[in-house]
Amino acid sequence: MKKRSAIVVGATGLVGQALTQQLCEDDNYVDVTIIVRTAPQYRHPKLTIKVRDFERIEARDIDFAHEVFCCLGTTRKAAGSKVAFERVDFTYPLLIASLAKKKGIPHFLVISAMGANEASRFYYSRVKGKVEKALIAMDFDQLSIIRPSLLRGERAKFRLGEKSGAALLKVMKPLLQGPLRKYQAIEGVQVAQAMRCIALYQPVQKVKVYTSQELQNIEPPLQNEDDKKTFDWSKRG
């Protein structure tokens, strides 16, 4: 496999942070660029950090890469208003996608949410559904839509609702089997692993939606026990 380059947007969040580290430690990638509002503490020889104001991001801020991983996301409560929420979860992802499209980047991967539907009666799900529809209309060579259930993991910023929901789902996990397995909470690091594996190993599809249950089952191909130790990201903290 030829060496690859990647861009991660939203690299300081739960999934984005884990994904950035995984990409930097993956021998398939020689260059990883993150576009952030605040520089993280993490450093790596492969890593390029671009601190940008997303309101003023331009085409020159996006270099060619094989993939763009869009991990931007917040909640209405955390954002403070509907306007602020839509700016992070709708406006910015579409802006980044449009710039990536102009640069000829073939694969755009975006974190959406379980239940995303522009016709949903739930505001959050409607916004996510609208983003998905707009991205599909951009006609990327490959668009991967990631729909995790409730995310588990340690965030820099505490989210009470998410923490409480994850705790409840953990208690209910024995009951969430079979068709209900898709409602199990999923570790952010596991979503990151799935996104990396989708970029590297999954068959190319024009538009593909990955459910939370599918994300739990996506793993890199293993050649031997050493590979297993190297790639078992879901066990990492």
Side-chain angles (χ1 to χ4, degrees):
M1 182 180 293
K2 68 179 181 180
K3 300 302 182 181
R4 308 177 74 82
S5 57
I7 296 173
V8 182
V9 185
T12 56
L14 180 62
V15 177
Q17 184 176 357
L19 178 60
T20 298
Q21 294 183 27
Q22 291 185 25
L23 293 172
C24 286
E25 294 181 31
D26 190 320
D27 291 340
N28 291 295
Y29 287 90
V30 295
D31 180 70
V32 179
T33 298
I34 60 174
I35 301 175
V36 292
R37 288 176 291 183
T38 305
Q41 293 184 341
Y42 180 73
R43 296 292 186 274
H44 192 278
K46 296 181 185 178
L47 184 63
T48 299
I49 301 173
K50 294 186 177 182
V51 178
R52 298 290 187 272
D53 179 350
F54 283 91
E55 292 289 335
R56 296 177 175 82
I57 198 164
E58 301 176 356
R60 63 184 179 182
D61 296 318
I62 305 288
D63 297 319
F64 177 82
H66 295 88
E67 292 94 23
V68 171
F69 298 89
C70 184
C71 304
L72 290 170
T74 186
T75 63
R76 181 179 171 184
K77 183 176 180 180
S81 67
K82 280 187 174 183
V83 172
F85 167 71
E86 290 190 22
R87 187 179 297 122
V88 174
D89 278 59
F90 183 83
T91 304
Y92 293 162
L94 295 185
L95 174 59
I96 295 296
S98 66
L99 296 176
K101 177 70 175 178
K102 290 177 182 177
K103 285 288 183 178
I105 295 174
H107 192 182
F108 194 84
L109 301 93
V110 61
I111 297 180
S112 182
M114 177 182 287
N117 187 331
E118 62 173 335
S120 174
R121 62 190 181 94
F122 298 106
Y123 170 70
Y124 181 83
S125 298
R126 281 202 311 275
V127 172
K128 292 297 187 181
K130 289 178 181 178
V131 171
E132 291 184 7
K133 182 178 180 180
L135 288 172
I136 292 171
M138 287 187 182
D139 195 34
F140 277 93
D141 291 346
Q142 187 176 1
L143 173 64
S144 298
I145 297 172
I146 312 302
R147 289 185 183 172
S149 60
L150 199 62
L151 293 171
R152 291 171 52 190
E154 295 301 320
R155 292 185 182 273
K157 293 184 178 179
F158 180 73
R159 292 184 182 177
L160 177 61
E162 193 172 80
K163 201 77 171 181
S164 301
L168 178 61
L169 288 177
K170 185 175 182 180
V171 173
M172 295 177 60
K173 186 175 180 179
L175 303 176
L176 300 177
Q177 302 299 326
L180 298 179
R181 188 167 181 262
K182 64 181 179 180
Y183 295 110
Q184 291 182 6
I186 185 170
E187 295 286 345
V189 69
Q190 194 170 16
V191 176
Q193 173 184 266
M195 293 179 74
R196 181 175 58 86
C197 292
I198 288 167
L200 290 172
Y201 307 116
Q202 292 291 298
V204 175
Q205 299 185 58
K206 183 73 173 177
V207 178
K208 168 64 177 174
V209 175
Y210 291 89
T211 66
S212 197
Q213 186 170 352
E214 288 177 295
L215 297 174
Q216 294 179 49
N217 295 325
I218 295 176
E219 297 179 345
L222 302 179
Q223 304 298 323
N224 50 52
E225 285 302 311
D226 289 336
D227 287 344
K228 184 173 183 180
K229 294 176 183 177
T230 301
F231 285 111
D232 196 7
W233 294 97
S234 63
K235 303 302 182 185
R236 298 194 177 192

